[in-house]
Amino acid sequence: MPETSVREMPRDYGDPVAEYRAVRQAVGVLDRSDLGVIDVTGRDRAAFLHALLSNEVKALGAGQGCAATLLDVHGKVQVVLLVWVLDDRILLVTPSGMAAFTYEALDKYLFAEKVVLEDVTGSLALTLLAGPDAPELVKRVTGLVLPEAPWSSVAGTLDGVPVRLVRGGRETGEPEAWIVVPATDGARVWDAVVAAGARPTGGSALETLRIEAGTPRYGADVDSSVLLPEIPAETLLSQTKGCYPGQEVVVRIRDRGHVNRHLRGLVLDAGGPPARGAEVRVGDAAVGHVTSATTSPALGRPIALAFVRRAVAAPGTRVEVRDAERAIGATVAELPFVR
C-alpha cells in the first residue's frame, strides 16, 4: 500500500542552539507530521496487535498506550511503534517512512480476524511540545492536565479545535506532550502554541536532545539487523505477556544467555562528533561502531551512541573511535548522558 506523501521535519528555524535551549529550559514545539500513522479498527484490533507486538496491548483501556516493537521470528526489530488506544480505534505511530512497511507487515498476519488497517499518514498533524514548561503550557491553552502515564491521552479542545493530547515518553529527556488533530487544523494549533510561548524547534536540536537522552532512533541506532535485547528495551516489551513473533528468542536471551553487543554511550575526549559508522577499537581490535553522534551542549563534549562488544560495554571502559584519519579517545558512559 503506498504511503501518503508528507513533508520532512524542518532542520531548524534559524537558531538550533536557541531551539535546544528552549526545550531544556522552557518549551519547544516540533512538527512531527513526518511520522507515519496506521489506523486500526474492528472488534479484534486489541487482541490482534497484542499477539504481534512486544508490549502489552490487550489490557490497555481507552486513553492508554505504550511503546512497542514488531519483531521477526529471530527477535530482530522490524519497527518501533507508539500505540495509542482510543475509544473506537488504535493508532500506531511509526518512524518516518515506515508506515507502508508496517501496514504490509501487519496485513500479512490478518486471516479471519475482524480488523481493518488503514495507512492514514499525512491526514493527521502531530505536534510535539517538549520542555519543563510543556505541561503548564498545555494546561493554559486547553484547560486540561496532561495524563501522568506515558502514552496516555485525553480529548480536549485548543483554540476551538478538537484535539487529542498524549503524554510523551521523554524522547528528548524532558516532559513531552503530543497534540493530534486533522492535518487541516495543524497550522492553527501550531500558531496557538507558538503564541502561548513555545519556540519552534527543528530536527537538528531534536537529534542532539535525543542522543543526550540516550533515545535510539529507528533507521540510525536500530534497524532490522538489531536484536531487541541489544538496545535499551525496558519500555518496549512486557516480560509477562504471551507469545508474539520473536518472543522465544528474547526470553531465551534473558533467561539463559546474553547478547554479544550492546548499544552504549561514548563520551569523546576532544574534536567534533564522529561520523556514523566510525569504528570503535581497543588496541588493534575492532569492538564496535558509532550509530549516532553530536556535540552535547550540556556536557561541552562530543558524544555518541554506539554498538560495542559485551566485553567493553561497562561504563568507564576506555576505547578509541577512529573516524577517517582521526583517532579519538573515548569513555563508555551510562545512558542517558543528561539526566
Side-chain angles (χ1 to χ4, degrees):
M1 178 178 178
E3 183 172 327
T4 306
S5 176
V6 295
R7 62 185 180 277
E8 294 184 359
M9 185 180 185
R11 185 69 183 162
D12 61 67
Y13 291 85
D15 192 343
V17 174
E19 294 163 24
Y20 165 91
R21 289 175 180 159
V23 175
R24 283 282 181 247
Q25 300 171 6
V27 57
V29 56
L30 302 94
D31 182 358
R32 297 314 320 270
S33 299
D34 60 299
L35 301 177
V37 183
I38 305 295
D39 186 1
V40 188
T41 55
R43 72 184 186 194
D44 297 333
R45 60 189 181 274
F48 173 72
L49 293 174
H50 185 83
L52 295 176
L53 302 183
S54 60
N55 215 340
E56 177 71 46
V57 177
K58 195 161 56 173
L60 297 175
Q64 295 182 310
C66 68
T69 62
L70 177 66
L71 307 179
D72 68 9
V73 295
H74 306 292
K76 294 184 177 181
V77 181
Q78 303 305 293
V79 67
V80 179
L81 300 165
L82 303 179
V83 180
W84 297 344
V85 180
L86 309 185
D87 291 333
D88 59 348
R89 65 195 60 242
I90 297 174
L91 297 181
L92 303 178
V93 182
T94 80
S96 181
M98 290 292 291
F101 170 86
T102 304
Y103 176 96
E104 292 167 2
L106 294 173
D107 185 63
K108 73 179 183 181
Y109 287 103
L110 269 178
F111 297 102
E113 297 88 353
K114 301 297 183 182
V115 174
V116 177
L117 303 171
E118 184 179 2
D119 183 351
V120 296
T121 301
S123 68
L124 297 175
L126 304 179
T127 302
L128 174 63
L129 295 170
D133 294 345
E136 190 276 333
L137 189 148
V138 165
K139 187 174 181 180
R140 272 194 289 120
V141 297
T142 68
L144 296 173
V145 175
L146 201 62
E148 286 296 323
W151 311 124
S152 293
S153 67
V154 293
T157 60
L158 194 164
D159 194 30
V161 176
V163 301
R164 171 67 58 171
L165 302 173
V166 185
R167 164 74 75 166
R170 289 182 177 261
E171 176 188 8
T172 61
E174 301 291 346
E176 296 170 357
W178 294 76
I179 304 174
V180 185
V181 296
T184 51
D185 292 319
R188 184 173 175 179
V189 168
W190 178 274
D191 290 344
V193 297
V194 170
R199 179 163 190 142
T201 302
S204 178
L206 176 61
E207 184 74 352
T208 295
L209 290 158
R210 70 101 188 159
I211 294 173
E212 286 187 340
T215 304
R217 177 167 65 85
Y218 197 90
D221 313 291
V222 188
D223 58 28
S224 60
S225 70
V226 173
L227 290 165
L228 182 58
E230 293 177 334
I231 64 172
E234 294 82 4
T235 63
L236 296 174
L237 82 162
S238 166
Q239 300 288 3
T240 58
K241 65 172 286 187
C243 292
Y244 56 88
Q247 185 201 28
E248 183 178 340
V249 176
V250 172
V251 171
R252 185 165 64 243
I253 291 171
R254 181 195 69 192
D255 294 344
R256 292 183 285 170
H258 57 76
V259 291
N260 294 321
R261 63 176 187 170
H262 296 273
L263 188 69
R264 291 290 189 261
L266 299 178
V267 178
L268 283 75
D269 295 345
R276 184 168 185 259
E279 197 172 55
V280 181
R281 301 184 68 88
V282 173
D284 293 331
V287 297
H289 67 277
V290 169
T291 58
S292 295
T294 189
T295 296
S296 166
L299 301 182
R301 304 272 287 279
I303 60 174
L305 299 178
F307 278 109
V308 296
R309 289 183 185 172
R310 185 168 59 94
V312 298
T317 303
R318 290 291 295 172
V319 297
E320 184 178 76
V321 178
R322 295 190 181 179
D323 178 14
E325 297 179 356
R326 299 186 301 167
I328 309 165
T331 303
V332 178
E334 288 189 32
L335 296 175
F337 292 100
V338 177
R339 297 182 182 274

